[in-house]
Every structure is written in C-alpha cells, then in structure tokens.
Amino acid sequence: MAAALSSKFLKGITSLQTLRSTRLASASVYQHGMMRYSSTVPSDSDTHDDFKPAQKVPSGSTDSLKDIVENDVKENPVMIYMKGVPEAPQCGFSSLAVRVLQQYNVPIGARNILEDQELKNAVKSFSHWPTFPQIFIKGEFIGGSDIILNMHKEGELEEKLKDVSGNQKSQ
C-alpha cells in the first residue's frame, strides 16, 4: 500500500514538473492572451524602481476598481483572483484551485490580490464573498478551491468548462 501511494505521489510530482516546464517553454503564447496575470508590487517608497509595477492603471483613469473586476470577469472565460499568480501561488488554496483548473487546459486570467488591498476589497464587494481564491467561469462566480475541487470530483467542472476554448482535459 505504501509503495503504491509513494508511486502515485512521485508520478504526480513528475507530471507537475512536466506541466510547469511545458508552460515555461511556451510562455510567449500565454503572454499573448491565453493566460493573463497581473504581477506588480505595492507602491512602496522603499521599493527599487526595478521592482515597481511596469504597467499601472493611470491615476486619472475613469475605470474604477469595480469596472476593472467586471471587465476581468467578462473578458476571461476563467478568471481567478488569488494569492500569487498561477505559476507561483502564494497559498495552498490558490495552488489547489490552479492545479484543478489546469487539468482542463483552459485559458486562465488571474490577478494577484496580495498586490493591491483596494483591488482585494473590490473583488470581495463584487462577489459578496470574503475569502480567496475566487473563481469566475463564463462571468459567473463559482467559489473557492473547495468548490472547484468538489465540482471536479463530481464531473460538474468538466461540464461547466466544456465550451471554453482550449478545453482538453488532462489525464
């Protein structure tokens, strides 16, 4: 029994490493619309210019944070607000949600809520849900990692994602 579990565990690690190296090797594809991340750092006077955000929403922008969230959810068939980014989750729940979604090979839009407390609060207000990660599929708030995992186990997630482009469930 222990040997079988050990074997499954090692296979899982190997497949994750393969998936990660495949994603890194094809990063240019994901940068052009397949996978979109927001990866910035807070505006801190102690932060070196090299580590400050390269693209910010202009301070005079007419887009409110609510508009940004609405646009994210509308523009991305699968959108996740998480701690970290899909390639480097910064909490176990965010990591679990990403791993489940990656099983379906769908394009994932993502924003790191740790970068901006105001964005985090806007997302909470938009969904009326207090915890993260928060996953939206085809504009509908689904829930967090526990909901996604349960839907995956029950076959409901595959049904929900069936018409999202690129959907080819991994084995």
Side-chain angles (χ1 to χ4, degrees):
M1 170 101 176
L5 287 174
S6 177
S7 175
K8 284 186 180 219
F9 177 73
L10 290 175
K11 283 182 184 177
I13 289 174
T14 304
S15 67
L16 278 176
Q17 289 171 338
T18 302
L19 178 63
R20 184 172 299 252
S21 64
T22 302
R23 288 204 179 277
L24 292 175
S26 60
S28 62
V29 173
Y30 292 108
Q31 291 174 356
H32 298 289
M34 289 296 288
M35 228 181 227
R36 295 178 232 167
Y37 313 134
S38 166
S39 56
T40 60
V41 294
S43 298
D44 183 354
S45 61
D46 291 337
T47 302
H48 189 274
D49 287 342
D50 289 347
F51 299 103
K52 288 185 180 175
Q55 297 178 352
K56 289 185 181 178
V57 175
S59 58
S61 172
T62 58
D63 285 344
S64 71
L65 288 171
K66 180 180 181 242
D67 293 335
I68 291 170
V69 174
E70 284 177 355
N71 190 51
D72 283 347
V73 170
K74 186 173 86 174
E75 296 288 321
N76 296 283
V78 178
M79 183 68 197
I80 181 170
Y81 292 93
M82 61 183 286
K83 295 177 181 178
V85 294
E87 294 299 329
Q90 294 184 7
C91 93
F93 297 113
S94 292
S95 178
L96 174 62
V98 167
R99 284 183 290 152
V100 169
L101 290 169
Q102 286 176 338
Q103 294 296 307
Y104 296 90
N105 295 321
V106 293
I108 300 170
R111 283 201 191 259
N112 181 355
I113 54 98
L114 296 176
E115 298 170 345
D116 187 343
Q117 185 65 37
E118 290 177 18
L119 174 67
K120 181 179 179 180
N121 290 334
V123 173
K124 286 181 181 182
S125 176
F126 182 81
S127 66
H128 305 288
W129 196 257
T131 60
F132 290 89
Q134 293 190 12
I135 298 116
F136 294 81
I137 297 176
K138 296 186 265 182
E140 178 187 355
F141 175 60
I142 301 300
S145 58
D146 56 337
I147 303 296
I148 290 292
L149 181 59
N150 189 49
M151 289 176 72
H152 172 69
K153 288 178 179 177
E154 300 296 324
E156 297 169 15
L157 188 56
E158 184 171 19
E159 181 67 24
K160 190 83 170 157
L161 294 171
K162 73 180 177 185
D163 58 349
V164 175
S165 66
N167 184 10
Q168 307 263 321
K169 187 175 177 192
S170 299
Q171 298 301 333

